[in-house]
Amino acid sequence: MTDAALGPSFYETVGGRATFERLVAEFYRGVADDPVLRPMYPEEDLAPAAERLTMFLEQYWGGPGTYSEQRGHPRLRLRHQPFKVNPDARDRWLAHMRHALDTLDLPPLAEETLWDYLQRAAFAMVNTFED
């Protein structure tokens, strides 16, 4: 959504849904073979998880509000509570996301902005320090 006074949203600036779809698809390619992260996704097919993450990211960054329309408030910590998200899981998540982000070739400020958010989000999801 563009506001004449504010200019285009981050979502629009980075290329909209197509950019977030590429990011998430590459991210889940890594997750699919990760022995720590893959078991956190109970569905055999990762496509539903990929769609949820895509909708969340596009809503967060100024795109359509489809995530909230379909799933309600994001409640990220609550939604991740059933899973053991320790520093190892966080670091693996970040490694796959870093790789995915590197494939987008975003402008430096956009990349830095997105990466800063992803790091903060990942650190906030840690809910245990047990192995």
Side-chain angles (χ1 to χ4, degrees), residues 71-117:
R71 299 184 48 84
H73 189 281
R75 303 175 309 181
L76 291 181
R77 284 193 50 85
L78 182 63
R79 290 185 194 273
H80 290 83
Q81 200 58 42
F83 307 103
K84 183 173 80 173
V85 182
N86 62 17
D88 180 45
R90 174 203 62 213
D91 293 348
R92 288 168 176 269
W93 190 94
L94 282 169
H96 295 300
M97 194 55 83
R98 180 73 251 178
H99 169 76
L101 183 56
D102 288 345
T103 68
L104 296 181
D105 195 32
L106 294 175
L109 181 57
E111 180 180 320
E112 183 179 322
T113 300
L114 184 53
W115 181 240
D116 179 65
Y117 167 75

Side-chain angles (χ1 to χ4, degrees), residues 10-103:
F10 182 86
Y11 176 77
E12 292 171 317
T13 300
V14 299
R17 182 172 178 86
T19 297
F20 289 100
E21 285 178 328
R22 288 192 337 263
L23 174 72
V24 170
E26 188 62 31
F27 168 74
Y28 277 108
R29 271 192 271 287
V31 168
D33 296 322
D34 190 293
V36 171
L37 297 182
R38 183 59 181 96
M40 293 185 192
Y41 298 87
E43 298 158 312
E44 186 174 325
D45 181 5
L46 289 172
E51 179 61 18
R52 290 188 299 269
L53 180 56
T54 300
M55 289 188 309
F56 170 77
L57 289 171
E58 60 181 356
Q59 177 175 302
Y60 182 88
W61 291 105
T66 312
Y67 183 93
S68 288
E69 291 167 11
Q70 291 184 10
R71 299 184 48 84
H73 189 281
R75 303 175 309 181
L76 291 181
R77 284 193 50 85
L78 182 63
R79 290 185 194 273
H80 290 83
Q81 200 58 42
F83 307 103
K84 183 173 80 173
V85 182
N86 62 17
D88 180 45
R90 174 203 62 213
D91 293 348
R92 288 168 176 269
W93 190 94
L94 282 169
H96 295 300
M97 194 55 83
R98 180 73 251 178
H99 169 76
L101 183 56
D102 288 345
T103 68

